């Protein structure tokens, strides 16, 4: 989630982001690293977030940049390769 509150282009359509652990509490650069891996603090925050699954789904569905559900863009691309298409 991306962090939904720090998403540069839009906010998710649903309201799950209101319960996000990162909501209003972090440096946006942690969620949208320009290169490399996310910071360890970021990963820890996502691991204890109550809406991690929703956030990951948003990242997968929208293809948005940044960290969503504790995953990087690269990790999500790999995940999408393993998820069978929905009918
Ligand atoms: S999983 Fe991470 S990026 Fe997504 S809402 Fe939770 S804390 Fe924010």
């Amino acid at each position: 989630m991306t962090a939904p509150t720090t998403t540069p282009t839009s906010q998710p359509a649903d309201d799950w982001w209101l319960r996000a652990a990162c909501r209003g509490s972090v440096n946006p650069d942690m969620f949208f690293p320009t290169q490399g891996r996310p910071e360890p603090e970021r990963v820890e925050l996502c691991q204890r977030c109550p809406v991690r699954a929703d956030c990951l789904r948003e990242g997968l569905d929208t293809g948005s940049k940044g960290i969503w559900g504790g995953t990087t863009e690269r990790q999500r691309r790999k995940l999408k390769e393993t998820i069978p298409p929905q009918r």
Side-chain angles (χ1 to χ4, degrees):
M1 154 182 128
T2 150
T5 56
T6 57
T7 303
T9 55
S10 66
Q11 289 187 337
D14 202 352
D15 64 353
W16 57 263
W17 57 273
L18 293 171
R19 294 174 280 124
C22 61
R23 184 169 160 77
S25 64
V26 294
N27 176 353
D29 291 342
M30 287 175 64
F31 294 91
F32 300 97
T34 55
Q35 60 184 2
R37 295 177 168 268
E39 296 178 25
E41 299 85 10
R42 174 79 194 118
V43 174
E44 288 177 30
L45 185 63
C46 293
Q47 287 178 345
R48 58 186 165 84
C49 178
V51 293
R52 185 176 180 189
D54 299 292
C55 182
L56 175 57
R57 172 53 58 196
E58 185 81 15
L60 287 168
D61 289 348
T62 63
S64 298
K65 294 186 179 302
I67 306 301
W68 292 83
T71 63
T72 63
E73 291 171 65
R74 183 176 184 178
Q75 290 170 325
R76 289 193 302 278
R77 275 196 302 273
K78 285 197 171 256
L79 268 175
K80 279 187 134 178
E81 291 172 7
T82 63
I83 299 173
Q86 295 186 359
R87 296 181 189 191

